[in-house]
Each structure stands twice: as C-alpha cells, then as structure tokens.
C-alpha cells in the first residue's frame, strides 16, 4: 500500500480571500502560495502520492461551470510542473453547501475514493487543510491531519499545525519514515 498527502486546494495550495483574489472562479484568479511547489516537490521525492481534494460549491451555486474548474486545475498543474512538482490526482465536490451530498468535506468520501483508486494506506497518509471540514474529513478517513494557514485559534484536534505547507514538510516527511518502520 502507498502513502499519500491529501491537500485541500483553496488556502493550502493557492490564494483565497486575499488582497489579490477573493474566490477562484477563473484560471486568472489562481495564484500559488509561496513555498507550495517546493513542498510538493519534497513530497514527490519522498515517495508520497499527492492528491488535491477540494469542495467546489461554486459549481452548484452557479458561479462557474465544471469546464472553468478544469481550466483552473490545468493551470494549477502547469504552474506546479513548471517548478518541478506533480499532483497525482484531483477529486472535487461540485455540490452546493448543505446539499447533503456524500462527497462534500467534512465527509471522507473523496479521500476514500482516491485511496481505493490508487491503493493508498489511509492511516499512513496525511490530510492537509486550512479549515475544519478538511481536518474532519481526514480524521474520518483515518489519516493524520495537519492544519495550515488557520484563520482561527481552534486546531480542530489536528495532529499538527503549521503556518503554511512549506513549514509542515518536515513533520509530514517524518510520518513517511515512521510508517516505514
């Protein structure tokens, strides 16, 4: 079984609610956060699979079409690839908040779906997010959890907390070593 790092997108990989962009509803609104490509390169080199797991309620609310989301993700992958970083797969929930779908975080469906598809050991893997639904989804899937870029003092019982993804790299890499023992 393989190990993975599951990454929320908005607020972990790219800017959101910043001076430059409020929401990412177009590829022109997508801007990588500092250190993200470097962090993902470390995960790639350490042998982790890297997945993006994201709620995209803007589709269900009518703010964007799935075609636009595909372009945003193509830009994300191209921006990362230009810096030597690779995403192995992307899963998203297109439904409105409170729609009751099975795939919206804090439910663990998307993590479990990726784990089944790629033969991932969830207890040996890590979910990284910036909000409570990300941490709860990781916990429900049985992953270790890391809170980054938190906008609150609450850590939602995450296993670790860091100011950003780059700062979380040593802790996450240590999880890889610990599972190998």
């Amino acid at each position: 079984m393989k190990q993975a790092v599951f990454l929320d997108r908005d607020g972990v990989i790219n800017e959101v609610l910043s001076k430059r962009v409020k929401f990412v509803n177009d590829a022109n609104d997508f801007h990588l956060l500092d250190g993200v490509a470097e962090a993902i390169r470390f995960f790639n080199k350490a042998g982790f699979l890297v997945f993006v797991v994201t709620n995209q309620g803007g589709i269900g609310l009518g703010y964007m079409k799935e075609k636009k989301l595909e372009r945003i993700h193509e830009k994300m992958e191209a921006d990362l690839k230009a810096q030597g970083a690779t995403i192995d797969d992307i899963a998203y929930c297109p439904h409105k908040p409170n729609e009751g779908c099975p795939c919206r975080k804090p439910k663990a469906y998307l993590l479990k779906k990726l784990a089944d598809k790629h033969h991932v050991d969830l207890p040996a893997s890590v979910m990284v997010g910036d909000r409570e639904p990300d941490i709860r989804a990781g916990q429900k899937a049985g992953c270790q959890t890391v809170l980054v870029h938190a906008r609150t003092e609450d850590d939602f019982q995450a296993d670790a907390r860091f100011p950003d993804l780059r700062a979380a790299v040593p802790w996450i890499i240590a999880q890889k070593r610990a599972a190998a023992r």
Side-chain angles (χ1 to χ4, degrees):
M1 297 284 282
K2 302 168 190 163
Q3 284 180 273
V5 177
F6 297 91
L7 302 172
D8 176 49
R9 194 192 80 187
D10 298 332
V12 174
I13 293 175
N14 59 277
E15 290 182 29
V16 67
L17 302 174
S18 69
K19 290 179 183 176
R20 187 167 26 177
V21 60
K22 185 170 183 177
F23 298 110
V24 181
N25 292 325
D26 187 270
N28 293 327
D29 297 328
F30 185 88
H31 305 282
L32 287 175
L33 289 165
D34 290 340
V36 166
E38 179 185 9
I40 293 172
R41 271 196 323 268
F42 276 113
F43 302 147
N44 296 150
K45 288 178 185 173
F48 282 103
L49 293 175
V50 179
F51 303 124
V52 174
V53 181
T54 179
N55 289 342
Q56 292 299 315
I59 293 170
L61 293 168
Y63 295 125
M64 76 172 141
K65 302 278 186 207
E66 286 192 70
K67 201 70 174 157
K68 270 198 171 184
L69 181 62
E70 288 172 21
R71 285 194 286 275
I72 292 165
H73 288 164
E74 287 167 3
K75 182 176 186 327
M76 173 183 68
E77 290 180 298
D79 290 354
L80 290 167
K81 186 176 181 178
Q83 296 184 54
T86 303
I87 297 293
D88 293 291
D89 207 344
I90 300 168
Y92 64 91
C93 170
H95 304 105
K96 291 186 242 181
N98 304 314
E99 192 169 315
C101 67
C103 55
R104 188 171 181 85
K105 292 179 291 179
K107 295 177 182 165
Y109 175 79
L110 293 177
L111 283 80
K112 291 178 179 179
K113 181 179 168 184
L114 286 167
D116 287 345
K117 179 179 177 182
H118 295 279
H119 310 288
V120 169
D121 181 359
L122 286 168
S125 297
V126 180
M127 172 69 204
V128 182
D130 67 324
R131 298 176 53 241
E132 182 177 15
D134 307 316
I135 301 307
R136 297 289 178 236
Q139 291 165 338
K140 288 176 184 176
C143 296
Q144 296 291 308
T145 56
V146 175
L147 183 67
V148 297
H149 296 289
R151 294 177 222 135
T152 175
E153 292 302 311
D154 196 336
D155 65 6
F156 314 113
Q157 297 84 44
D159 295 296
R161 179 184 185 133
F162 295 95
D164 55 44
L165 186 59
R166 175 63 188 96
V169 167
W171 188 90
I172 293 170
I173 298 294
Q175 303 317 300
K176 177 81 173 165
R177 288 191 208 107
R181 290 183 199 142

